Amino acid sequence: MDKHLIRPVRTHKNVINMSNFNISRTMRLVRWSFVEERGYAIRTTIIITLLMTLFMTMMSIGSEPMFMANASNPETQRAVLLKMSRSFSFVFFGAYWFVILMGGSMMFRNMQTRQQRIAYMMLPASNAEKYVCRVVLVVLGGILMSAVSFVVADLLQQLFMHLIFGRSHMGSYAVTLLTTLSDIAQRGVRAFDELGPTFSNYVSQSGLRDIFAGTSINPGLFVIFYYCLGDLFDLSVFIFMGTLFRRHGWLFACVIYSLIRALIYLIFPEFNVWLSMSVMLVGIVAFTWLSFRLFTRMQVINNKLLNI
């Protein structure tokens, strides 16, 4: 056979399509990954819900003596109840966010073994699509799991309080949290005064209280944006650590994150809102980019502690 009649298979178009980012292909990969890991997600949600139900119930029971101590003064009783309810709701919110951070440090739990790495790397998708898929599962999936768990745990603690005391003076922590966030968006940092001295002093020291002083601008939405930016910075650090370490990523993430926070406070002892936001923005971009670069260089056979 004439060699000129043998034409090579043109795969250049397929390579280009696979190297580009395609949203529909990414969404198919997300759905497939969710089906593959739904058992783990359901088990994790149930365990977290049970633990948070116990935590919420204990906090509600512990608040009853403080509530009854002011029974002679209904006005003081309502004020104490409101402050405790709002403070506890933020504590529970922080606990759930910590759970999401732990999920970020275990973003590539589906690539722990050699077989799992081969299976995920051989999927018909680009590296960018595979990375975005894991981020979507961790961030959006973690937020959805936490929201469902928060609501269910809140309902269960109310049920237990009704069974124990006949009624729940603390009410719904989920509703209180939404009310508090709405109050912060409307009133700004003044809403933190009703959360107790710990929250109020932190806001005063951070400079957020005076950032728009003397202007007609409502700082409420800015405060929420600032804290959301801080949460994204924390998440980017945990995702990077989860990508860097092949084993025990959550443990190294907690230790190194604490060291990074301490280093920032040592370098910048005087708090500045705008400088803090700049550092967080740079950190989010840097840690996300480094995490993606590490992911693209993961090896199938790796017995080392680091994914390098």
Side-chain angles (χ1 to χ4, degrees), residues 220-239:
L221 295 178
F222 176 83
V223 171
I224 293 178
F225 171 77
Y226 175 81
Y227 281 103
C228 289
L229 191 65
D231 291 339
L232 289 177
F233 172 79
D234 298 342
L235 185 60
S236 66
V237 174
F238 276 76
I239 288 178

Side-chain angles (χ1 to χ4, degrees), residues 290-301:
L290 290 172
S291 175
F292 174 71
R293 299 300 294 177
L294 283 173
F295 169 71
T296 59
R297 285 166 170 73
M298 281 186 180
Q299 301 176 358
V300 173
I301 301 176

